[in-house]
Amino acid sequence: MAMAARTVPLGVLLRRELTNERMERPDVLCGEASRSRKGEDFTLLRADAGQRVAGDPSTSFSVFALFDGHNGTGAAIYAKENLLSNVLRAMPTCLSREEWLAVLPRALVAAFVKTDKDFLAGAETSGTTVTFVIIDEWVVTVASVGDSRCILESADGSVYYLSADHRFDSNPDEVERVTAFGSKVGKMEIVGGPEVGPLRCWPGGLCLSRSIGDLDVGECIIAVPHVKQVKLSNAGGRIIIASDGVWDDLTSGMALDCSRGFPSDVAANRIVNEAIQPRGIRDDTTCIVIDILPPEKLAPSPPKRHGKIAFNNMFRRKSPDVPFRTDREYAEPDMVEEIFEDGSAMLSKRLTTGYALQKFFAPSSCAVCLVRLKSGQGISVHANPLQYEKLRGWQGPFLCQSCHYKKEAMEGKRRPRGPSATTSVFGHMR
């Protein structure tokens, strides 16, 4: 079921929480399962990843992430170890919850680009997809590059896609972007035979248009993530994050059907087993299942509409020993409301939309790598380095020289670095 196109302002949703009966913090339960062939899938599971207000446990948030590496494990391990800290560093201090959530999409963009830039500085050629999920009470924010899909099933069985697919085969906009950059997108050419396999970027042979790493493919492969932010009702929901080892063999419906009615850890195992059953383990196959549940102490309250709002069985079971309960009533309709979504590849756009800028950017720091900038040293993200035109008012956010160079390269304004046209088509495959 597709998400409605109209977004709801974050402030409206948070004020609704205050004016309606109190929304208690949900229970967040997680399970994972994996079957390995190459050992390049990694996960990050942090039910208590940090606190919006230091020392206040009531402001804690959760982080769950999947890193599907290729051409080695370096990029996946580096992203797992550094991406969360880069997100938190990009968040200004002393923010209200509404401000914190509003700034989060920009912080995720900056952190993905910084993680990519820092990793590539080591001249390693591996790469990784990333699906990164932050849960703050009933608000879920997902940032993704690559093809490890993230889906949400609400309590009424409606399905929402929270990530984007950056495979060339399924994303014509990305094909257009990369070819405009000067690269070729096509299937592998076998001498004397037909073209075979998925669409790939040449030189290099990568079938993804966005990732962290992949130095040898060139800077048309970018780390600017798709970001989607939604708010669940207090009926909760189930999130499934899985690598392409799952989605190559299962549809979203098949994954949900085989796992429905089971706790998160059992559900993750069932999904992985279902994926590998037809043809065996052909790729690393990893699944994370997250249940966002109403707390047990949440008392039933009169519904706002006639009839009961049934709670799907899969959300009620916390362990195999706890029986299902389907007779509870909830005070709100089971509604998932979209707050924010942006998948633009333009870093300059992603750093300048969605909130009051000047309040949240340190004027003396690079908006991506956060390095301190001397007076007059920063380059506005709006600036054309060849034909700089002064903007009225505040010109920020600002970038250091190296981050500005990376922005220009990712946006196709500089000649891409990468393998020469004579590189073997087998130089980098995924």
Side-chain angles (χ1 to χ4, degrees):
M1 177 178 175
M3 179 84 65
R6 185 178 66 85
T7 61
V8 181
L10 176 61
V12 171
L13 296 178
L14 299 185
R15 284 193 295 273
R16 191 180 300 168
E17 289 185 6
L18 298 176
T19 55
N20 294 343
E21 72 281 345
R22 185 160 57 96
M23 293 265 294
E24 297 191 42
R25 294 179 62 85
D27 293 328
V28 179
L29 305 179
C30 175
E32 72 166 323
S34 184
R35 303 292 184 273
S36 179
R37 181 177 181 182
K38 295 179 290 184
E40 295 177 335
D41 279 6
F42 296 86
T43 60
L44 177 66
L45 312 177
R46 297 277 299 276
D48 188 359
Q51 299 167 351
R52 286 183 283 102
V53 179
D56 184 354
S58 69
T59 67
S60 64
F61 57 90
S62 304
V63 171
F64 304 97
L66 173 58
F67 310 88
D68 180 0
H70 47 266
N71 199 34
T73 61
I77 293 173
Y78 186 87
K80 175 180 177 177
E81 293 177 347
N82 293 277
L83 184 54
L84 175 57
S85 60
N86 286 338
V87 173
L88 299 181
R89 289 192 192 102
M91 297 292 290
T93 57
C94 303
L95 299 180
S96 68
R97 180 172 179 243
E98 180 178 345
E99 291 171 335
W100 194 89
L101 289 169
V103 173
L104 185 54
R106 185 211 67 87
L108 284 161
V109 171
F112 269 63
V113 174
K114 173 176 167 54
T115 303
D116 179 62
K117 177 173 175 280
D118 292 348
F119 175 72
L120 293 180
E124 289 195 48
T125 58
S126 62
T128 187
T129 74
V130 181
T131 303
F132 198 85
V133 179
I134 297 180
I135 302 173
D136 182 288
E137 298 188 18
W138 303 95
V139 176
V140 178
T141 308
V142 180
S144 59
V145 292
D147 59 358
S148 293
R149 189 183 307 166
C150 177
I151 63 173
L152 163 69
E153 184 175 46
S154 63
D156 72 347
S158 299
V159 179
Y160 303 85
Y161 291 88
L162 302 185
S163 61
D165 191 340
H166 294 127
R167 284 191 184 187
F168 290 111
D169 274 331
S170 56
N171 200 320
D173 289 341
E174 289 291 271
V175 172
E176 182 179 352
R177 178 184 67 80
V178 170
T179 53
F181 194 94
S183 295
K184 177 185 176 183
V185 175
K187 296 183 177 182
M188 183 185 296
E189 298 178 0
I190 303 298
V191 178
E195 295 182 339
V196 296
L199 292 176
R200 300 179 182 275
C201 176
W202 305 103
L206 188 67
C207 64
L208 305 173
S209 64
R210 302 196 196 187
S211 68
I212 286 179
D214 293 309
L215 175 67
D216 57 341
V217 182
E219 286 170 310
C220 61
I221 306 301
I222 63 172
V224 179
H226 172 274
V227 179
K228 192 177 189 77
Q229 189 175 66
V230 299
K231 181 180 179 297
L232 281 64
S233 74
N234 63 352
R238 165 166 283 186
I239 294 172
I240 297 177
I241 313 166
S243 63
D244 64 327
V246 167
W247 305 122
D248 283 347
D249 286 287
L250 300 183
T251 65
S252 298
M254 292 167 65
L256 290 165
D257 287 344
C258 76
S259 61
R260 194 173 285 119
F262 294 91
S264 55
D265 53 346
V266 177
N269 269 291
R270 287 179 64 87
I271 291 170
V272 168
N273 289 336
E274 186 78 5
I276 66 176
Q277 185 176 13
R279 293 181 286 181
I281 302 175
R282 297 179 299 118
D283 192 6
D284 293 342
T285 305
T286 303
C287 180
I288 303 169
V289 175
I290 307 155
D291 286 337
I292 303 174
L293 308 173
E296 287 298 313
K297 62 183 179 180
L298 181 63
S301 55
K304 295 180 180 178
R305 61 185 182 184
H306 295 294
K308 295 181 178 181
I309 301 173
F311 197 77
N312 194 309
N313 285 350
M314 71 174 185
F315 299 117
R316 293 310 311 154
R317 194 173 188 183
K318 291 192 175 185
S319 74
D321 300 323
V322 178
F324 292 124
R325 296 176 62 188
T326 60
D327 59 348
R328 305 223 11 217
E329 294 179 350
Y330 292 89
E332 292 187 344
D334 178 37
M335 182 179 298
V336 176
E337 297 182 274
E338 181 179 315
I339 302 169
F340 176 91
E341 180 171 23
D342 198 340
S344 170
M346 301 295 287
L347 182 61
S348 53
K349 175 181 182 293
R350 301 298 296 279
L351 293 178
T352 57
T353 55
Y355 28 77
L357 294 173
Q358 193 166 359
K359 180 178 180 181
F360 298 132
F361 286 95
S364 58
S365 297
C366 173
V368 171
C369 71
L370 306 181
V371 66
R372 298 285 294 180
L373 300 171
K374 297 179 180 178
S375 178
Q377 189 179 41
I379 304 172
S380 170
V381 296
H382 309 281
N384 183 326
L386 301 178
Q387 294 179 326
Y388 180 75
E389 183 175 331
K390 188 173 183 180
L391 303 174
R392 293 182 179 181
W394 190 62
Q395 299 174 18
F398 298 93
L399 302 176
C400 67
Q401 182 65 48
S402 63
C403 287
H404 176 73
Y405 186 95
K406 183 172 182 64
K407 177 190 80 73
E408 296 289 285
M410 288 193 301
E411 295 182 356
K413 298 174 184 177
R414 291 185 182 273
R415 186 175 182 84
R417 294 175 297 178
S420 69
T422 58
T423 300
S424 166
V425 296
F426 298 100
H428 187 143
M429 298 290 292
R430 182 185 186 277

